[in-house]
Amino acid sequence: MTAITVTQHVRYQTKVAHRRATSEPAWIRWTLIASALAFLTLFLFVPLAAVFTEALRKGWDTYLSALIDPDALSAIWLTLIAAAIALPLNLVFGVAAAWAIAKFEFRGKSVLITLIDLPFAVSPVVAGLIYVLIFGLQGWFGEWLIDNDMKVIFAIPGIVLATVFVTFPFVARELIPLMQAQGKDEEEAALVLGASGWQILWRVTLPNIKWGLLYGMILTNARAMGEFGAVSVVSGHIRGMTNTMPLHVEILYNEYQYAAAFAVASLLALLALVTLALKTFVEWQSAKNAAEFEKEANG
Amino acid sequence: MSIEINNISKQFGKFHALQNINFNVPSGELVALLGPSGCGKTTLLRIIAGLESADDGRIAFHGDDTTDKNVRERQVGFVFQHYALFRHMTVFENVAFGLRVRPKATRPSEAEIRRRVRELLGLVQLDWLADRYPPQLSGGQRQRIALARALAVEPKVLLLDEPFGALDAKVRKDLRRWLRRLHDELHITSVFVTHDQEEALEVADRIVVMNHGKVEQIGSPQQVYDQPASPFVYQFLGNVNEFESRVNKGRASINEVTVDSVEHQSVDDAAALAYIRPHDIEVLKEPNGAPSFSATVNYIHSLGPLVRLELQRQDDERIIEAELTRERFLQLQLIEGSQVYLQPKQVRVFLKH
C-alpha cells in the first residue's frame, strides 16, 4: 500500500466514524420527519382537537347538559356494564387459553390459536349478524327464546355478547408470546416443590405475567367501550335502553345535534387518552421487567 | 433412599428417546448420567422426577413404587439447568417456597421457616444474599440458591439437570467440587445429568453412560475410563485414535505393529477396530527395535503442562494425535517436520460387527 492510499484510507475511516453507518443525509431525514409530522397532524391531532372544540362550541352548559341528558347517561351506563362484563370474562378466558397454549402440548393447538384470532379476521358487522341469525326472532333459537320470555337481540345480553366476541383475542394474544418466552421451568420448579395447581397459578404464573395481563386488559377495555359495528347490529338503537356511547353519538349526529354528539364523543376521546397514558406506563413497566428477565437469562 | 429403574421406555412420536433402561442407584450415592445431547439422559431424569411419564416400565424409591405417584408426592429435589428461580421473589422467599406451599397441617410455623431458610442459606454460604432478587445474582450464586431451594423440602432424592451447564469454566470447576463435598456431608441419593465427561469422572461415584436412548455402560469412573464396554464409551470418554486392525488368536495387528489382545483369545482372523488414547502413545526419535509406526510431526499444540502432537503416519498418511508431558517433549527436542517412531503403550480392540 502506498503512502497516498494509506492517507486516503485513514481519512475515509475518520469520516465513517463521524457519521453513523445507517444514517441518511440531513435533507432526507428532515423530509421524512416533516412528512410524518404532517400526516400525524392531519389525521390525528386535528380531529382530536376538533372533537373538543366542537363539543365546547356552545359553551360549558350545553356540554354538561348533553352529558347529563337521561339518554346519554343511560348510554354511558350501558357501555360501562358491557365493558364490566366483557372484561372479567376475557380475563379468565385469556389467561386460561394462554396458559394452555404456552405451557402445554396438545392436539388441536393450532386450531385453538386460529379460533382465538377469528374476531380479528371477521368484520364486526358480520359478527353482529351471526348473533342476529342465531338469537334473532327468525334465528335458530328465536322461537325458543320467545317461548321462554327471554330477549337477547335488541337487548343488553346481545350487546354484551357482541362486545365479548370482538374483544376476545386481546388478553390471550398479549399473554401467549410472553408466557412462551418465560417457558415452564418456574412452574415445574414449583410443582416439584409441592405446590398445587392453584398455588402455582397465584404465586408463580400470575406475578410473572402481571404487566402483560394489565396491558391486555387496557386494550380490551378500550375496545369494549369503543366498539360500534357489532354492537350496532344487535342493539336495535332503542334510546335509553340499548344504546351504547358510540351508538348514541351516531344518533345525536344524525339528528343534527352536533354539540351534544361531540360532547359524548369527547368522553370517548378522553377514554382513549387515558388508555394511551396507562398503556405507555404499563409498557414502560413491562419493558423494565423484560430487561431484568433478559439479564437473568443471559447472566 | 435408593432408586430402582426398571425397563423404562419412552417414545416421542417415532423417536425412541429411551429403550428398556434398567439400573439401580444405591442409597447415598452420587450418580452421573453421561451422554451426548439427545441421548435421552434428561428425559430419564425427568421421568425419575415425575415431570415426564414413561410409556413403559417402573420407577421405585427404596422399593416403593412411585410410577403412578404425582410429582408433588414423590418428594424429590430438582435443580434445573437454567436455575428456574422465581424471579419476582427474593432469595429468601425462593428457598422458603417449598415450605410455604405445604397444607396447613404440615406447614412449619413462620419462625421455624425462617430458621430453616437461614440454615440452608448458610449451608450454601450465601446467607448475605437473602434479600436480593435472582436477576441480581451471578450464575454460580443462582445455582447454589436453586440447590438450597431444592433441599428445603428435605427431598428423598436429589436430581440435577446439567447443573453446571450454563456456567463458565472456572466457576464450573469450583462449584462441582463444592457439590461433591456437600454430597459427602449430606449423603442424599443424587443423580445428575451431564454431557461433560470430565465433570462426570471427577464428581460421580458411578457413571451411567448413555447413547441413543440406551445404557452403554455402568461403572465407577475408573471402570468406565479404563475398561470401556463399547467403542462409543471409549470415544466419548476422552480423545482417541482409531485404527483399522485384524485380530487373530489374542493378537491384534495394525499394519506391521502387533499387540496383545487377551480378551480376544478365541478369535480367528477377524476385522476389528483398535483404539489408542493420545497419552498412551510412546514417541521416540530413534527406532528401538520394537515394531512401531513411523510418522512426521505436522503440528505442535502446547496445552500448559501437556503438549499435543498432530502426527502423520508414513504408511497410510492418516493423522494420529499423541500427548506428551512438557518434560518429555523438551527431552525429545521435537520441531514441526521431525521424523518420529510411535509405539502404542495400551490398545483397546473391539471386533467389528
Side-chain angles (χ1 to χ4, degrees), chain B residues 164-208:
Chain B
F164 316 117
L167 303 169
D168 58 59
K170 174 84 175 75
V171 181
R172 229 179 142 102
K173 240 174 213 173
D174 289 348
L175 210 53
R176 72 189 189 215
R177 286 187 190 143
W178 173 80
L179 177 73
R180 179 68 239 188
R181 284 197 303 274
L182 190 73
H183 182 265
D184 292 340
E185 250 172 70
L186 301 175
H187 278 297
I188 174 167
T189 311
S190 307
V191 180
F192 78 101
V193 158
T194 181
H195 61 263
D196 181 344
Q197 27 99 5
E198 196 185 313
E199 196 166 289
L201 291 172
E202 181 174 329
V203 177
D205 293 316
R206 285 204 308 153
I207 298 179
V208 178

Side-chain angles (χ1 to χ4, degrees), chain B residues 241-245 252-259 274-276 280-297 311-322 338-347:
Chain B
N241 295 296
E242 188 186 277
F243 297 88
E244 293 288 333
S245 142
S253 51
I254 309 163
N255 285 359
E256 58 268 37
V257 180
T258 311
V259 290
Y275 294 92
I276 309 173
D280 284 335
I281 292 179
E282 179 78 57
V283 179
L284 304 165
K285 276 210 105 165
E286 302 294 335
N288 62 355
S292 61
F293 303 110
S294 55
T296 33
V297 179
L311 306 143
Q312 190 164 34
R313 271 164 71 182
Q314 271 162 1
D315 48 1
D316 61 0
E317 309 207 315
R318 294 246 197 146
I319 301 294
I320 301 179
E321 266 189 14
S338 295
Q339 165 88 34
V340 290
Y341 300 88
L342 308 177
Q343 283 174 350
K345 287 188 277 191
Q346 203 179 358
V347 184

Side-chain angles (χ1 to χ4, degrees), chain B residues 6-240:
Chain B
N6 295 315
N7 258 327
I8 291 290
S9 294
K10 172 83 179 173
Q11 232 172 316
F12 294 112
K14 284 194 174 150
F15 175 68
H16 287 275
L18 295 170
Q19 301 179 49
N20 297 327
I21 304 287
N22 274 299
F23 65 88
N24 287 352
V25 179
S27 197
E29 266 198 6
L30 178 57
V31 169
L33 296 180
L34 175 66
S37 52
C39 73
K41 55 195 190 300
T42 293
T43 307
L44 180 58
L45 194 77
R46 290 172 62 86
I47 288 174
I48 299 174
L51 288 169
E52 209 98 47
S53 60
D55 297 338
D56 208 6
R58 312 204 76 78
I59 302 271
F61 290 165
H62 216 80
D64 232 9
D65 195 330
T66 61
T67 318
D68 302 319
K69 266 195 191 166
N70 190 284
V71 195
R72 296 177 60 199
E73 297 157 3
R74 289 200 190 190
Q75 287 179 282
V76 295
F78 201 99
V79 176
F80 293 80
Q81 180 177 7
H82 295 289
Y83 328 119
L85 293 176
F86 306 124
R87 73 194 80 151
H88 63 281
M89 292 182 203
T90 60
V91 163
F92 184 94
E93 286 305 320
N94 262 284
V95 179
F97 186 89
L99 302 172
R100 289 206 196 281
V101 294
R102 284 196 187 163
K104 245 200 175 101
T106 54
R107 193 188 312 151
S109 69
E110 184 61 30
E112 173 66 10
I113 290 176
R114 297 204 153 266
R115 193 190 62 75
R116 291 265 290 277
V117 174
R118 289 277 159 208
E119 195 180 287
L120 281 159
L121 287 176
L123 183 72
V124 298
Q125 300 156 348
L126 290 175
D127 29 1
W128 49 287
L129 288 177
D131 297 325
R132 302 273 186 91
Y133 284 87
Q136 298 167 313
L137 310 182
S138 72
Q141 288 169 340
R142 282 183 211 166
Q143 197 56 293
R144 283 193 275 167
I145 297 300
L147 192 60
R149 181 179 70 178
L151 292 173
V153 292
E154 292 173 333
K156 294 179 192 165
V157 300
L158 186 61
L159 307 170
L160 307 103
D161 183 10
E162 300 261 1
F164 316 117
L167 303 169
D168 58 59
K170 174 84 175 75
V171 181
R172 229 179 142 102
K173 240 174 213 173
D174 289 348
L175 210 53
R176 72 189 189 215
R177 286 187 190 143
W178 173 80
L179 177 73
R180 179 68 239 188
R181 284 197 303 274
L182 190 73
H183 182 265
D184 292 340
E185 250 172 70
L186 301 175
H187 278 297
I188 174 167
T189 311
S190 307
V191 180
F192 78 101
V193 158
T194 181
H195 61 263
D196 181 344
Q197 27 99 5
E198 196 185 313
E199 196 166 289
L201 291 172
E202 181 174 329
V203 177
D205 293 316
R206 285 204 308 153
I207 298 179
V208 178
V209 186
M210 292 180 64
N211 190 30
H212 291 311
K214 287 180 185 154
V215 172
E216 292 272 340
Q217 188 174 6
I218 301 173
S220 69
Q222 200 72 40
Q223 277 169 344
V224 293
Y225 191 81
D226 291 338
Q227 295 141 32
S230 67
F232 170 80
V233 177
Y234 205 73
Q235 288 180 5
F236 195 72
L237 291 168
N239 295 326
V240 286

